[in-house]
Amino acid sequence: MAPPNPGLTHLSNALATPEQLSASSSSIDGVPSDLEASIRCAGTQLTQAAGVLLHLSQDIIAQAIVIFTRFWLGADGGSLRIYSVKVNKLPSDVSAAALYLTAKLSFQPTSPRSVLNVYTLLLSQEASPLWFVNPHGAPKQPPSADSYTLTEGGYQSARLVLLRIESVILRTLSFDTHVALPHTIALTYLQTLGVTDSAVSRRTVEYLNSALFSPQLLYVTHQPNALAVAAIYLASREQGCKLVDGEWWEVFDVDREELGFLVVGMKSTEGFMRAETEKWKGPGKTIPLVVEEVDAEIERSRMMQEGE
């Protein structure tokens, strides 16, 4: 990761280098880039949903998603053919470990049992409300408790995996768990610009939250101040709020080229999510969340390309 600005360490992040973005460990191991993006996106959604069910604040959830995303970057990062979003038959792996680790370092620590109970529910094909786990959607009738309850033996096994993957994440990130978020910065910028419309503030935060799911990995390629400026730009135009004349974004150390890239990236996230839903919709089509499923999907794609 490229080091942050030494004078603004608490407001900036270590960013992914071009080498890390162009060659991940997964791609080196033969995982197609589109499949990697789908799995990473599903893991991000899983982390978000788990954080909400655990009643964690959005800033903790966002930090966990950034940690989860960083783990897969570069040749030294995690590979989807070695690690996975979940362990087969166990509700714990990189997503759960990233959320547990981030919460533990925050003012809202949560227990391994709570984390694993929530992931057991979210990864249950009968009880999960997540579209990529349960194609039928949230059940209309309460499912059997056995479908989303961990046994004591299952909990002990999953807990060991959770703690092991937590240590793997820490080693992979060289114990750098600092994540600066753009949300507070954006609200400060809005005050500086004299914007008092609550609808603009709300929409700005919504853009920042949706950018966590961006296929361009905006949170690991751009600093928080640039993300904040792009979200304000979009929100103000959408709400018809006129800002100060001139290229105001330059005051916040963002040039026109970077702003343009981020605006396009943030606007494209919704379309990407819709495309993902369509891509994996249908009988027998599920996003592979375990190593064995990833291997099977790669083999299936290879056979289709070769016409076997």
Side-chain angles (χ1 to χ4, degrees), residues 221-280:
T221 57
H222 292 79
Q223 293 294 359
N225 67 300
L227 294 170
V229 165
I232 291 171
Y233 180 89
L234 284 168
S236 61
R237 288 174 64 88
E238 190 175 292
Q239 298 298 322
C241 176
K242 181 173 174 55
L243 301 178
V244 297
D245 293 330
E247 299 185 339
W248 57 269
W249 48 85
E250 292 187 351
V251 176
F252 303 117
D253 198 25
V254 179
D255 60 38
R256 179 180 290 275
E257 182 179 0
E258 183 176 22
L259 174 61
F261 178 86
L262 286 170
V263 165
V264 172
M266 288 184 177
K267 289 288 288 184
S268 68
T269 300
E270 182 179 355
F272 168 73
M273 297 295 289
R274 287 177 179 169
E276 282 296 296
T277 305
E278 288 298 318
K279 177 181 177 181
W280 295 99

Side-chain angles (χ1 to χ4, degrees), residues 20-84:
Q20 288 177 314
L21 294 171
S22 62
S24 67
S25 182
S26 297
S27 65
I28 293 172
D29 285 344
V31 180
S33 59
D34 59 338
L35 178 59
E36 183 178 359
S38 293
I39 298 172
R40 192 171 54 229
C41 180
T44 299
Q45 294 176 69
L46 179 61
T47 308
Q48 175 71 44
V52 170
L53 291 181
L54 287 165
H55 302 289
L56 297 174
S57 62
Q58 182 58 34
D59 62 330
I60 295 175
I61 299 172
Q63 289 174 45
I65 290 173
V66 174
I67 293 294
F68 173 82
T69 303
R70 286 176 180 171
F71 176 76
W72 307 105
L73 293 175
D76 296 326
S79 170
L80 287 165
R81 302 195 81 165
I82 299 175
Y83 304 99
S84 54

Side-chain angles (χ1 to χ4, degrees), residues 141-246:
Q141 299 295 329
S144 168
D146 291 340
S147 67
Y148 60 88
T149 303
L150 267 179
T151 64
E152 185 59 29
Y155 164 70
Q156 294 299 337
S157 298
R159 178 178 175 275
L160 291 176
V161 173
L162 180 72
L163 299 180
R164 179 175 65 83
I165 299 300
E166 178 192 20
S167 66
V168 170
I169 292 175
L170 286 170
R171 290 198 305 271
T172 301
L173 301 184
S174 300
F175 291 83
D176 181 6
T177 58
H178 169 74
V179 177
L181 296 174
H183 300 68
T184 302
I185 296 174
L187 296 178
T188 301
Y189 287 178
L190 284 169
Q191 290 180 334
T192 303
L193 292 166
V195 177
T196 57
D197 188 343
S198 61
V200 175
S201 301
R202 182 170 58 253
R203 192 65 180 131
T204 296
V205 172
E206 289 172 354
Y207 270 116
L208 291 175
N209 288 336
S210 65
L212 290 163
F213 303 91
S214 166
Q216 292 93 350
L217 309 181
L218 300 181
Y219 271 74
V220 298
T221 57
H222 292 79
Q223 293 294 359
N225 67 300
L227 294 170
V229 165
I232 291 171
Y233 180 89
L234 284 168
S236 61
R237 288 174 64 88
E238 190 175 292
Q239 298 298 322
C241 176
K242 181 173 174 55
L243 301 178
V244 297
D245 293 330

